[in-house]
Amino acid sequence: MAVNRSALIALTALAPVSWGTTYAVTTEFLPPDRPLFTGLMRALPAGLLLLALARVLPSGAWWWKAAVLGALNIGAFFPLLFLSAYRLPGGMAAVVGSAGPLFVVGLSAPLLGQRPTARTLLTGVAAAFGVSLVVLKAAGALDLVGVLAALASTASMSTGTVLTKRWGRPDGVGPLALTGWQLTAGGLLIAPLALLVEGAPPALDGRAVGGYLYLALANTAVAYWLWFRGMGRLTATQVTFLGPLSPLTAAVIGWAALGQALTPVQLAGMALAFGATIAGQLGADGGGRRVRRLGTAAGNGIAERGPRATSARR
């Protein structure tokens, strides 16, 4: 059972590792200054593909729940993420995003009934501090709009994470369908905004087409399916503590592919952030089981029996 949980954590971790490539792909392959169009191209094709594979549509209250989750996790998150990526060095945007565990811990108290422990808070601070050591050295001058966009994107995704855990999944609906609902809803929300704000789509060369295909398929369709699948079986805190793997991956890519040097301080920060990620998995397990039992009693569809989740969040 421990092996199964370790494998689940490892598979879920592939999502933030994949997302760590987003900054490099955005800056090296995609047209500049098109955050809305880039968010649209990442979300809507992936959502429609997953809907075609799952062939399940929402019903009842899940029409508006899927719309809310799609807006938080995709429709608001993607444009804000790409806006911050265009206006900030990837490192600075990433360090703001590393505060995600602290957002989730704070929201879990009122929405999931899970009180934050001193250990969890300390681990979240350690993760953010470790990421800051990795990425802030070359951050450059502050761009207020970029920083606010990065902060808003982190808050949006964190809220969506906690609500996904609170609402669970409808009976008989798997993570593939739920992922498709959210990506499609988010993409449809972005589409009119992209047209009104940015105008007609830009001309795309082969590099841009390849970049968008990668973002839509591997970076979004597959990665978000793994992420929402993991959310159904892990606690909200465990999942969000995998988030620092994204900026760490971005730093490694910058070193390996873009010729960016890593100093001893940055290496120490990577070790600290990675250690906090591991501690986040070890420290949240017991509390997560308690929260799932409370969720079952409240009728919110969050229950686990043995090693298999009967229903889940995203």
Side-chain angles (χ1 to χ4, degrees):
M1 184 171 178
V3 174
N4 291 339
R5 180 162 291 272
S6 297
L8 174 63
I9 292 172
L11 286 173
T12 308
L14 291 178
V17 168
S18 172
W19 299 335
T21 67
T22 303
Y23 295 111
V25 172
T26 299
T27 56
E28 299 296 319
F29 291 89
L30 304 185
D33 302 321
R34 289 297 187 115
L36 290 172
F37 179 75
T38 298
L40 172 64
M41 292 299 291
R42 184 181 175 189
L44 192 56
L48 294 175
L49 173 63
L50 295 185
L51 281 184
L53 293 174
R55 292 188 288 184
V56 177
L57 292 176
S59 61
W62 271 97
W63 281 106
W64 69 263
K65 287 183 178 181
V68 169
L69 294 178
L72 291 170
N73 290 325
I74 309 297
F77 175 68
F78 278 7
L80 290 167
L81 174 70
F82 285 111
L83 178 60
S84 67
Y86 281 122
R87 298 186 69 100
L88 296 174
M92 187 181 293
V95 76
V96 178
S98 69
L102 296 176
F103 278 90
V104 169
V105 168
L107 290 168
S108 293
L111 294 179
L112 299 180
Q114 183 178 12
R115 296 180 180 178
T117 64
R119 174 178 176 174
T120 301
L121 291 172
L122 182 61
T123 304
V125 171
F129 181 66
V131 171
S132 71
L133 292 179
V134 176
V135 300
L136 284 185
K137 181 177 181 295
L142 286 175
D143 180 293
L144 181 59
V145 173
V147 170
L148 291 176
L151 187 63
S153 71
T154 301
S156 179
M157 182 68 166
S158 299
T159 305
T161 296
V162 176
L163 284 179
T164 300
K165 191 66 180 178
R166 178 179 175 85
W167 288 340
R169 280 201 311 259
D171 291 338
V173 173
L176 190 70
L178 189 58
T179 305
W181 296 352
Q182 294 184 56
L183 288 170
T184 302
L188 292 175
L189 178 64
I190 298 170
L193 294 176
L195 183 61
L196 289 173
V197 175
E198 297 177 352
L204 303 179
D205 58 16
R207 287 172 60 85
V209 170
Y212 282 127
L213 283 175
Y214 168 77
L215 288 181
L217 297 178
N219 189 264
T220 303
V222 174
Y224 269 87
W225 171 70
L226 290 172
W227 185 251
F228 293 141
R229 177 176 176 269
M231 278 193 200
R233 304 179 186 185
L234 302 171
T235 70
T237 303
Q238 281 180 303
V239 172
T240 196
F241 267 110
L242 295 174
L245 294 177
S246 179
L248 296 184
T249 301
V252 171
I253 290 175
W255 166 74
L258 303 180
Q260 300 171 359
L262 288 175
T263 67
V265 171
Q266 289 174 304
L267 292 173
M270 292 179 71
L272 179 60
F274 187 74
T277 298
I278 298 298
Q281 307 310 307
L282 300 176
D285 189 49
R289 285 192 293 268
R290 178 176 60 83
V291 170
R292 277 192 289 268
R293 287 197 295 268
L294 289 173
T296 305
N300 64 14
I302 305 170
E304 182 170 299
R305 298 173 185 170
R308 297 178 60 188
T310 60
S311 62
R313 44 170 169 148
R314 324 188 201 186

mmCIF file of all heavy atoms in Angstrom, residues 19-48:
data_model
loop_
_atom_site.group_PDB
_atom_site.id
_atom_site.type_symbol
_atom_site.label_atom_id
_atom_site.label_comp_id
_atom_site.label_asym_id
_atom_site.label_seq_id
_atom_site.Cartn_x
_atom_site.Cartn_y
_atom_site.Cartn_z
ATOM 1 N N TRP A 19 4.980 21.309 -15.911
ATOM 2 C CA TRP A 19 4.689 22.739 -15.903
ATOM 3 C C TRP A 19 5.946 23.579 -15.742
ATOM 4 O O TRP A 19 5.969 24.749 -16.125
ATOM 5 C CB TRP A 19 3.691 23.056 -14.789
ATOM 6 C CG TRP A 19 2.379 22.350 -14.973
ATOM 7 C CD1 TRP A 19 1.841 21.906 -16.152
ATOM 8 C CD2 TRP A 19 1.455 21.966 -13.953
ATOM 9 N NE1 TRP A 19 0.641 21.283 -15.933
ATOM 10 C CE2 TRP A 19 0.381 21.301 -14.598
ATOM 11 C CE3 TRP A 19 1.428 22.121 -12.567
ATOM 12 C CZ2 TRP A 19 -0.709 20.796 -13.886
ATOM 13 C CZ3 TRP A 19 0.341 21.622 -11.866
ATOM 14 C CH2 TRP A 19 -0.708 20.964 -12.512
ATOM 15 N N GLY A 20 6.990 22.999 -15.195
ATOM 16 C CA GLY A 20 8.249 23.725 -15.073
ATOM 17 C C GLY A 20 8.886 24.053 -16.410
ATOM 18 O O GLY A 20 9.770 24.906 -16.493
ATOM 19 N N THR A 21 8.431 23.382 -17.483
ATOM 20 C CA THR A 21 8.938 23.690 -18.823
ATOM 21 C C THR A 21 8.181 24.835 -19.482
ATOM 22 O O THR A 21 8.584 25.299 -20.552
ATOM 23 C CB THR A 21 8.833 22.447 -19.722
ATOM 24 O OG1 THR A 21 7.440 22.134 -19.951
ATOM 25 C CG2 THR A 21 9.504 21.239 -19.083
ATOM 26 N N THR A 22 7.081 25.290 -18.870
ATOM 27 C CA THR A 22 6.216 26.280 -19.508
ATOM 28 C C THR A 22 6.951 27.578 -19.789
ATOM 29 O O THR A 22 6.802 28.170 -20.869
ATOM 30 C CB THR A 22 4.986 26.564 -18.620
ATOM 31 O OG1 THR A 22 4.290 25.347 -18.381
ATOM 32 C CG2 THR A 22 4.055 27.558 -19.298
ATOM 33 N N TYR A 23 7.740 28.053 -18.815
ATOM 34 C CA TYR A 23 8.427 29.331 -18.996
ATOM 35 C C TYR A 23 9.389 29.279 -20.181
ATOM 36 O O TYR A 23 9.438 30.197 -20.997
ATOM 37 C CB TYR A 23 9.170 29.707 -17.717
ATOM 38 C CG TYR A 23 8.264 29.969 -16.548
ATOM 39 C CD1 TYR A 23 8.232 29.088 -15.465
ATOM 40 C CD2 TYR A 23 7.437 31.079 -16.519
ATOM 41 C CE1 TYR A 23 7.393 29.314 -14.392
ATOM 42 C CE2 TYR A 23 6.589 31.315 -15.447
ATOM 43 C CZ TYR A 23 6.572 30.421 -14.385
ATOM 44 O OH TYR A 23 5.737 30.645 -13.323
ATOM 45 N N ALA A 24 10.156 28.208 -20.289
ATOM 46 C CA ALA A 24 11.112 28.094 -21.387
ATOM 47 C C ALA A 24 10.397 28.013 -22.732
ATOM 48 O O ALA A 24 10.795 28.659 -23.707
ATOM 49 C CB ALA A 24 12.004 26.875 -21.187
ATOM 50 N N VAL A 25 9.340 27.220 -22.800
ATOM 51 C CA VAL A 25 8.590 27.095 -24.052
ATOM 52 C C VAL A 25 7.961 28.430 -24.435
ATOM 53 O O VAL A 25 7.982 28.842 -25.607
ATOM 54 C CB VAL A 25 7.510 26.005 -23.922
ATOM 55 C CG1 VAL A 25 6.588 25.990 -25.145
ATOM 56 C CG2 VAL A 25 8.151 24.638 -23.747
ATOM 57 N N THR A 26 7.396 29.141 -23.454
ATOM 58 C CA THR A 26 6.749 30.425 -23.725
ATOM 59 C C THR A 26 7.737 31.434 -24.283
ATOM 60 O O THR A 26 7.455 32.117 -25.278
ATOM 61 C CB THR A 26 6.106 30.977 -22.443
ATOM 62 O OG1 THR A 26 5.119 30.055 -21.977
ATOM 63 C CG2 THR A 26 5.441 32.323 -22.705
ATOM 64 N N THR A 27 8.891 31.553 -23.674
ATOM 65 C CA THR A 27 9.848 32.580 -24.084
ATOM 66 C C THR A 27 10.643 32.199 -25.319
ATOM 67 O O THR A 27 11.069 33.073 -26.074
ATOM 68 C CB THR A 27 10.815 32.898 -22.933
ATOM 69 O OG1 THR A 27 11.469 31.684 -22.517
ATOM 70 C CG2 THR A 27 10.066 33.484 -21.746
ATOM 71 N N GLU A 28 10.835 30.901 -25.564
ATOM 72 C CA GLU A 28 11.700 30.472 -26.658
ATOM 73 C C GLU A 28 10.950 30.089 -27.932
ATOM 74 O O GLU A 28 11.532 30.123 -29.022
ATOM 75 C CB GLU A 28 12.552 29.275 -26.207
ATOM 76 C CG GLU A 28 13.469 29.557 -25.030
ATOM 77 C CD GLU A 28 14.523 30.591 -25.357
ATOM 78 O OE1 GLU A 28 15.084 30.550 -26.475
ATOM 79 O OE2 GLU A 28 14.782 31.455 -24.500
ATOM 80 N N PHE A 29 9.670 29.742 -27.821
ATOM 81 C CA PHE A 29 8.963 29.203 -28.985
ATOM 82 C C PHE A 29 7.720 29.995 -29.392
ATOM 83 O O PHE A 29 7.306 29.923 -30.551
ATOM 84 C CB PHE A 29 8.540 27.754 -28.712
ATOM 85 C CG PHE A 29 9.680 26.778 -28.638
ATOM 86 C CD1 PHE A 29 10.318 26.541 -27.435
ATOM 87 C CD2 PHE A 29 10.131 26.118 -29.765
ATOM 88 C CE1 PHE A 29 11.384 25.657 -27.352
ATOM 89 C CE2 PHE A 29 11.187 25.228 -29.702
ATOM 90 C CZ PHE A 29 11.817 24.998 -28.491
ATOM 91 N N LEU A 30 7.092 30.703 -28.461
ATOM 92 C CA LEU A 30 5.773 31.263 -28.728
ATOM 93 C C LEU A 30 5.835 32.735 -29.111
ATOM 94 O O LEU A 30 6.795 33.434 -28.781
ATOM 95 C CB LEU A 30 4.872 31.087 -27.497
ATOM 96 C CG LEU A 30 4.710 29.657 -26.985
ATOM 97 C CD1 LEU A 30 3.698 29.623 -25.843
ATOM 98 C CD2 LEU A 30 4.302 28.704 -28.093
ATOM 99 N N PRO A 31 4.795 33.241 -29.813
ATOM 100 C CA PRO A 31 4.747 34.670 -30.150
ATOM 101 C C PRO A 31 4.747 35.515 -28.881
ATOM 102 O O PRO A 31 4.131 35.140 -27.871
ATOM 103 C CB PRO A 31 3.409 34.812 -30.905
ATOM 104 C CG PRO A 31 3.068 33.436 -31.357
ATOM 105 C CD PRO A 31 3.636 32.500 -30.336
ATOM 106 N N PRO A 32 5.406 36.656 -28.878
ATOM 107 C CA PRO A 32 5.486 37.488 -27.667
ATOM 108 C C PRO A 32 4.177 38.212 -27.386
ATOM 109 O O PRO A 32 3.378 38.477 -28.282
ATOM 110 C CB PRO A 32 6.605 38.478 -28.005
ATOM 111 C CG PRO A 32 6.568 38.591 -29.501
ATOM 112 C CD PRO A 32 6.190 37.225 -29.996
ATOM 113 N N ASP A 33 3.968 38.509 -26.117
ATOM 114 C CA ASP A 33 2.871 39.373 -25.673
ATOM 115 C C ASP A 33 1.500 38.870 -26.095
ATOM 116 O O ASP A 33 0.623 39.647 -26.470
ATOM 117 C CB ASP A 33 3.083 40.807 -26.190
ATOM 118 C CG ASP A 33 4.397 41.387 -25.716
ATOM 119 O OD1 ASP A 33 4.770 41.132 -24.554
ATOM 120 O OD2 ASP A 33 5.062 42.083 -26.503
ATOM 121 N N ARG A 34 1.282 37.585 -25.990
ATOM 122 C CA ARG A 34 -0.029 37.008 -26.299
ATOM 123 C C ARG A 34 -0.467 36.064 -25.168
ATOM 124 O O ARG A 34 -0.717 34.879 -25.406
ATOM 125 C CB ARG A 34 0.005 36.244 -27.627
ATOM 126 C CG ARG A 34 0.119 37.119 -28.867
ATOM 127 C CD ARG A 34 -1.090 38.023 -29.002
ATOM 128 N NE ARG A 34 -1.104 38.750 -30.259
ATOM 129 C CZ ARG A 34 -2.023 38.588 -31.208
ATOM 130 N NH1 ARG A 34 -3.016 37.743 -31.014
ATOM 131 N NH2 ARG A 34 -1.964 39.284 -32.327
ATOM 132 N N PRO A 35 -0.583 36.564 -23.931
ATOM 133 C CA PRO A 35 -0.929 35.664 -22.822
ATOM 134 C C PRO A 35 -2.307 35.038 -22.955
ATOM 135 O O PRO A 35 -2.493 33.868 -22.610
ATOM 136 C CB PRO A 35 -0.841 36.574 -21.592
ATOM 137 C CG PRO A 35 -1.005 37.962 -22.112
ATOM 138 C CD PRO A 35 -0.367 37.942 -23.471
ATOM 139 N N LEU A 36 -3.296 35.785 -23.451
ATOM 140 C CA LEU A 36 -4.647 35.234 -23.570
ATOM 141 C C LEU A 36 -4.711 34.184 -24.675
ATOM 142 O O LEU A 36 -5.299 33.111 -24.500
ATOM 143 C CB LEU A 36 -5.647 36.352 -23.840
ATOM 144 C CG LEU A 36 -5.902 37.302 -22.667
ATOM 145 C CD1 LEU A 36 -6.755 38.485 -23.105
ATOM 146 C CD2 LEU A 36 -6.573 36.569 -21.513
ATOM 147 N N PHE A 37 -4.122 34.493 -25.819
ATOM 148 C CA PHE A 37 -4.127 33.523 -26.909
ATOM 149 C C PHE A 37 -3.359 32.262 -26.516
ATOM 150 O O PHE A 37 -3.791 31.144 -26.825
ATOM 151 C CB PHE A 37 -3.509 34.137 -28.167
ATOM 152 C CG PHE A 37 -3.458 33.197 -29.342
ATOM 153 C CD1 PHE A 37 -4.613 32.895 -30.046
ATOM 154 C CD2 PHE A 37 -2.268 32.600 -29.722
ATOM 155 C CE1 PHE A 37 -4.576 32.010 -31.122
ATOM 156 C CE2 PHE A 37 -2.218 31.725 -30.787
ATOM 157 C CZ PHE A 37 -3.374 31.429 -31.494
ATOM 158 N N THR A 38 -2.248 32.436 -25.812
ATOM 159 C CA THR A 38 -1.475 31.278 -25.376
ATOM 160 C C THR A 38 -2.266 30.438 -24.378
ATOM 161 O O THR A 38 -2.272 29.205 -24.455
ATOM 162 C CB THR A 38 -0.146 31.741 -24.759
ATOM 163 O OG1 THR A 38 0.621 32.428 -25.751
ATOM 164 C CG2 THR A 38 0.654 30.555 -24.244
ATOM 165 N N GLY A 39 -2.951 31.093 -23.436
ATOM 166 C CA GLY A 39 -3.795 30.354 -22.507
ATOM 167 C C GLY A 39 -4.907 29.617 -23.227
ATOM 168 O O GLY A 39 -5.238 28.468 -22.888
ATOM 169 N N LEU A 40 -5.508 30.256 -24.230
ATOM 170 C CA LEU A 40 -6.572 29.612 -25.011
ATOM 171 C C LEU A 40 -6.053 28.387 -25.746
ATOM 172 O O LEU A 40 -6.681 27.316 -25.716
ATOM 173 C CB LEU A 40 -7.146 30.622 -26.008
ATOM 174 C CG LEU A 40 -8.136 30.079 -27.043
ATOM 175 C CD1 LEU A 40 -9.384 29.552 -26.362
ATOM 176 C CD2 LEU A 40 -8.480 31.159 -28.064
ATOM 177 N N MET A 41 -4.915 28.514 -26.400
ATOM 178 C CA MET A 41 -4.357 27.401 -27.170
ATOM 179 C C MET A 41 -3.896 26.260 -26.269
ATOM 180 O O MET A 41 -3.817 25.112 -26.712
ATOM 181 C CB MET A 41 -3.187 27.899 -28.022
ATOM 182 C CG MET A 41 -3.598 28.831 -29.139
ATOM 183 S SD MET A 41 -4.718 28.026 -30.322
ATOM 184 C CE MET A 41 -3.582 26.851 -31.073
ATOM 185 N N ARG A 42 -3.601 26.574 -25.044
ATOM 186 C CA ARG A 42 -3.208 25.516 -24.115
ATOM 187 C C ARG A 42 -4.422 24.781 -23.565
ATOM 188 O O ARG A 42 -4.383 23.564 -23.386
ATOM 189 C CB ARG A 42 -2.405 26.127 -22.961
ATOM 190 C CG ARG A 42 -1.856 25.109 -21.995
ATOM 191 C CD ARG A 42 -1.104 25.778 -20.859
ATOM 192 N NE ARG A 42 -0.677 24.778 -19.884
ATOM 193 C CZ ARG A 42 -0.148 25.062 -18.708
ATOM 194 N NH1 ARG A 42 0.028 26.324 -18.339
ATOM 195 N NH2 ARG A 42 0.205 24.100 -17.875
ATOM 196 N N ALA A 43 -5.519 25.505 -23.311
ATOM 197 C CA ALA A 43 -6.651 24.915 -22.604
ATOM 198 C C ALA A 43 -7.686 24.266 -23.514
ATOM 199 O O ALA A 43 -8.059 23.101 -23.309
ATOM 200 C CB ALA A 43 -7.329 25.990 -21.750
ATOM 201 N N LEU A 44 -8.202 25.018 -24.497
ATOM 202 C CA LEU A 44 -9.375 24.539 -25.227
ATOM 203 C C LEU A 44 -9.110 23.288 -26.062
ATOM 204 O O LEU A 44 -9.909 22.334 -26.009
ATOM 205 C CB LEU A 44 -9.935 25.663 -26.103
ATOM 206 C CG LEU A 44 -11.314 25.403 -26.712
ATOM 207 C CD1 LEU A 44 -12.337 25.072 -25.630
ATOM 208 C CD2 LEU A 44 -11.776 26.608 -27.526
ATOM 209 N N PRO A 45 -8.032 23.217 -26.861
ATOM 210 C CA PRO A 45 -7.795 21.969 -27.605
ATOM 211 C C PRO A 45 -7.643 20.757 -26.683
ATOM 212 O O PRO A 45 -8.162 19.679 -26.974
ATOM 213 C CB PRO A 45 -6.499 22.252 -28.376
ATOM 214 C CG PRO A 45 -6.427 23.734 -28.470
ATOM 215 C CD PRO A 45 -7.022 24.243 -27.198
ATOM 216 N N ALA A 46 -6.946 20.940 -25.557
ATOM 217 C CA ALA A 46 -6.775 19.833 -24.615
ATOM 218 C C ALA A 46 -8.107 19.429 -24.012
ATOM 219 O O ALA A 46 -8.411 18.230 -23.872
ATOM 220 C CB ALA A 46 -5.800 20.233 -23.508
ATOM 221 N N GLY A 47 -8.936 20.406 -23.651
ATOM 222 C CA GLY A 47 -10.239 20.094 -23.071
ATOM 223 C C GLY A 47 -11.139 19.351 -24.041
ATOM 224 O O GLY A 47 -11.802 18.369 -23.660
ATOM 225 N N LEU A 48 -11.200 19.803 -25.279
ATOM 226 C CA LEU A 48 -12.045 19.141 -26.276
ATOM 227 C C LEU A 48 -11.554 17.717 -26.548
ATOM 228 O O LEU A 48 -12.364 16.796 -26.745
ATOM 229 C CB LEU A 48 -12.068 19.954 -27.565
ATOM 230 C CG LEU A 48 -12.743 21.328 -27.455
ATOM 231 C CD1 LEU A 48 -12.606 22.099 -28.772
ATOM 232 C CD2 LEU A 48 -14.221 21.171 -27.084
#
